[in-house]
Amino acid sequence: MGQHEHDHEHDHEPEHVHVAVVGSGFGGLGAAIRLRREGMTDFVVLERADSVGGTWRDNSYPGCACDVPSHLYSFSFAPNPDWPRTFSGQRHIRAYLEHVADTFGLRPHLRLNHEVRLMRWDNDALHWKIETSRGTLTADVIVSATGPLSDPKIPEIPGLAGFPGKVFHSARWDHGYDLRGKRVAVIGTGASAIQIVPAIQPEVGRLTLFQRTPPWVMPRVDRAISGAERRLHRALPFTGTLRRRILWGIRELQVQAFTKRPDELGLVESLAKANMARAIKDPVLRAGLTPSYRIGCKRILLSSTYYPALAQPNVDLVTSGLAEVRGSTLVAADGTETEVDAIVFGTGFHVTDMPIAERVVGADGITLAEAWKDGMQSLRGATAAGFPNWMTIIGPNTGLGNSSMILMIESQLNYMADYLRQLDGLGGRGGGPGSAGGSGRVALGPRPAAVRAWNHRVQERMKRTVWNTGGCTSWYLDEQGRNTTVWPGTTAEFRRVTREVDLAEYEVIRAAAVSVRVPRQAEKPVAETRTPQERASGTRTTERSAGARAGARAGTPAAKEGVR
């Protein structure tokens, strides 16, 4: 697998790299590819598992597939003309990621079986100390790409520990356990559950689905991609690009209804109800499966087999959440009792309370989890106040409700690349502990005022979206009821506001503990990093000093771009 084993027992100092990427899913591999394309090779990718793939490695449950079309759910710089279906299954997406790792020469950078246990910022050395399950290293910059769907969430159910049968989460599927003929309970009705139910229904003895809130389900128009189509995409790559752009454009047009005009989603609700009526003839069952909230408030699910499976005689629907386990008996909140042999939790992940945040200690000696105790906040979904030279991929308010997350990831890779260019231009490439050139090194930390301003605008826009007004409680919301997950705009807009780093939003931190501060009048976040003269000439300010940048801004009105 190209894994490099590093034995530093004879060294007094840990290995140092310029960039440490954490995670090897789409975000981590995308970051590694972008680093290589920027001409950077001094980086590692730390992965806790023994292979790449992220959520597409961990989720291998029966029926696992993507609900975004294949040609849109792939990197724009690594098109795959050979997708076998319009909606790809887990096996093919994982194979694509393995192929990407090979094609772009990432194997030498991978550190598999290196679980990150702690990342601590060193204020004196201006670098991160990273403790892993295989040793310690330091890095100038951390790119955290662990993703929001990496740590399964199992609710605390009284009596669960005493259940005598089999228990597992959808993301930790036990393929050694034979479900044939068993009485199986599936807890939850999210994206994973609606794929699991029809996949296992034909083989189990009895299936009981515990549903707290019914989802809106639209038909999944899936088909095999013909050999002729694949040959065409191989011979004429622009046809695959065109296909991707059409898929993207359709989804961009849908955004207005989600973010500004939720009332227009009534027609979509009618289509979803018709989809249900075709398969569910029992009026009592149909009533139990009909949501009471506006479609889109929770993620709209795609399946043409979910409702037909629920109509089968060996399936029971309990329209109440699991409240207690008494031996092998599951007791719902409404008192319904069910005897089962196995429990499968399709209850999602730690999204607004990501466990990785407990392992990041910033400049003030507090963890990211502590900094985010009142809700996740970042600057442009990438950087967090108090955590210099730390970036995240798929950070707060970068999620989507209707399109491909790969589009958002690629936008964040643009921001990451410019962040590193700015940092290097300021002298931020370090040489590790004891380096003679260490005194000239710098770090970039987002200004708290910039973070607050960005998040205020995002939350103001969020107020009119379907995710906040649709009448549901979803995993998009944190414990305070704030939507810290979804981006309230188009993917094109997000790409514009993350195209480049604006140093007015950052504090430049010198190794000698002297901060170069942008003048007060530039405190408000701006997205333009050029003077009018530079814009006219087409030049950039990348290689200018922080002081020169500040001077230019001091005499130039800030050109504001971003969340309006």
Side-chain angles (χ1 to χ4, degrees):
M1 301 294 289
Q3 168 105 13
H4 278 199
E5 299 296 336
H6 295 262
D7 183 2
H8 293 280
E9 293 180 359
H10 60 284
D11 294 336
H12 296 294
E13 296 175 354
E15 175 192 12
H16 182 84
V17 295
H18 186 40
V19 181
V21 179
V22 184
S24 67
F26 268 100
L29 294 181
I33 293 168
R34 187 57 183 267
L35 292 174
R36 289 290 300 262
R37 297 179 81 183
E38 292 287 320
M40 192 177 301
T41 57
D42 185 15
F43 70 91
V44 295
V45 179
L46 303 172
E47 170 55 56
R48 66 184 177 184
D50 60 2
S51 61
V52 303
T55 191
W56 295 105
R57 175 199 60 236
D58 296 341
N59 287 268
S60 60
Y61 58 80
C64 183
C66 189
D67 59 1
V68 174
S70 303
H71 286 84
L72 192 58
Y73 198 78
S74 49
F75 290 123
S76 63
F77 49 79
N80 178 17
D82 291 313
W83 289 118
R85 302 194 66 83
T86 53
F87 290 89
S88 290
Q90 175 264 345
R91 178 169 61 91
H92 295 106
I93 297 174
R94 184 179 180 185
Y96 169 77
L97 290 172
E98 293 280 1
H99 173 73
V100 162
D102 289 329
T103 300
F104 288 90
L106 303 184
R107 298 294 179 186
H109 300 278
L110 293 175
R111 304 288 175 80
L112 305 177
N113 297 306
H114 278 63
E115 180 178 9
V116 172
R117 292 175 174 168
L118 185 66
M119 294 170 273
R120 183 182 295 275
W121 176 251
D122 188 322
N123 284 312
D124 295 323
L126 289 192
H127 66 217
W128 288 91
K129 181 179 180 181
I130 307 168
E131 297 177 15
T132 79
S133 57
R134 303 286 287 275
T136 301
L137 69 155
T138 60
D140 298 320
V141 178
I142 285 178
V143 177
S144 179
T146 58
L149 306 182
S150 57
D151 291 283
K153 187 173 187 177
I154 294 181
E156 295 183 6
I157 306 294
L160 181 60
F163 180 69
K166 192 71 178 178
V167 179
F168 51 87
H169 190 277
S170 59
R172 301 291 185 267
W173 195 271
D174 187 343
H175 291 277
Y177 182 74
D178 190 355
L179 292 174
R180 287 178 296 182
K182 299 291 196 311
R183 299 169 298 176
V184 180
V186 175
I187 315 300
T189 52
S192 299
I194 72 157
Q195 295 179 344
I196 292 169
V197 167
I200 68 173
Q201 175 271 320
E203 64 182 67
V204 302
R206 187 146 212 92
L207 192 155
T208 303
L209 178 64
F210 284 77
Q211 169 193 276
R212 285 193 306 177
T213 308
W216 284 105
V217 182
M218 295 288 286
R220 177 186 173 94
V221 186
D222 187 24
R223 65 171 178 84
I225 296 176
S226 69
E229 289 175 276
R230 284 184 262 177
R231 287 192 295 273
L232 176 65
H233 293 330
R234 282 196 299 271
L236 301 172
F238 78 88
T239 60
T241 301
L242 177 62
R243 185 174 189 159
R244 177 187 177 91
R245 288 180 177 173
I246 291 171
L247 292 169
W248 168 76
I250 292 171
R251 281 154 181 78
E252 291 288 273
L253 293 174
Q254 297 169 349
V255 172
Q256 292 287 337
F258 286 89
T259 59
K260 295 181 180 179
R261 296 188 288 272
D263 290 342
E264 294 182 359
L265 292 166
L267 174 61
V268 185
E269 284 184 8
S270 299
L271 296 174
K273 288 178 179 178
N275 177 48
M276 182 196 305
R278 281 192 292 270
I280 306 296
K281 305 303 181 184
D282 180 354
V284 176
L285 179 58
R286 193 161 60 241
L289 292 170
T290 302
S292 59
Y293 55 88
R294 173 64 75 192
I295 194 169
C297 184
K298 291 174 177 282
R299 187 177 179 96
I300 301 173
L301 306 182
L302 302 180
S303 177
S304 297
T305 56
Y306 177 64
Y307 288 139
L310 294 182
Q312 298 305 308
N314 69 330
V315 177
D316 296 312
L317 176 69
V318 177
T319 56
S320 181
L322 177 60
E324 184 183 357
V325 178
R326 300 173 188 163
S328 60
T329 302
L330 306 192
V331 184
D334 64 2
T336 302
E337 297 187 0
T338 307
E339 292 279 332
V340 299
D341 304 305
I343 303 174
V344 177
F345 282 98
T347 45
F349 301 85
H350 290 275
V351 176
T352 59
D353 58 341
M354 294 185 290
I356 191 68
E358 298 278 2
R359 306 182 185 192
V360 185
V361 181
D364 297 326
I366 65 172
T367 66
L368 186 61
E370 291 171 320
W372 283 352
K373 66 181 186 300
D374 296 324
M376 298 189 299
Q377 289 194 41
S378 68
L379 178 59
R380 301 180 188 268
T383 55
F387 297 83
N389 286 12
W390 181 89
M391 306 190 72
T392 182
I393 306 295
I394 313 184
N397 290 114
T398 61
L400 296 175
N402 73 312
S403 192
S404 172
M405 280 305 302
I406 313 305
L407 301 169
M408 302 296 278
I409 289 172
E410 290 194 21
S411 294
Q412 292 198 287
L413 298 183
N414 291 340
Y415 195 77
M416 176 198 75
D418 197 53
Y419 183 99
L420 292 169
R421 290 189 210 109
Q422 305 280 19
L423 190 64
D424 286 354
L426 292 165
R429 185 185 288 269
S435 170
S439 61
R441 292 171 52 248
V442 300
L444 287 174
R447 296 176 176 276
V451 176
R452 288 193 300 269
W454 173 261
N455 283 274
H456 174 74
R457 296 199 300 272
V458 168
Q459 292 303 321
E460 283 298 304
R461 285 183 58 177
M462 199 69 72
K463 288 179 180 178
R464 58 183 175 177
T465 67
V466 69
W467 308 300
N468 281 37
T469 65
C472 73
T473 300
S474 72
W475 57 267
Y476 298 149
L477 309 180
D478 63 18
E479 292 183 353
Q480 286 76 37
R482 293 174 66 250
N483 191 328
T484 57
T485 306
V486 184
W487 168 246
T490 65
T491 62
E493 179 188 7
F494 188 75
R495 179 151 296 198
R496 287 196 301 272
V497 300
T498 55
R499 181 173 292 121
E500 56 187 16
V501 169
D502 175 17
L503 284 185
E505 296 181 332
Y506 284 87
E507 181 179 16
V508 182
I509 307 164
R510 294 287 175 185
V514 176
S515 299
V516 178
R517 295 181 179 273
V518 176
R520 198 69 178 175
Q521 54 265 47
E523 178 85 5
K524 291 183 179 181
V526 297
E528 178 58 74
T529 61
R530 296 174 292 179
T531 65
Q533 293 79 10
E534 290 168 330
R535 289 197 295 273
S537 64
T539 60
R540 296 189 56 190
T541 61
T542 301
E543 296 183 0
R544 298 170 65 213
S545 69
R549 286 177 183 275
R553 282 203 174 81
T556 305
K560 297 181 178 63
E561 175 190 3
V563 183
R564 297 185 177 88

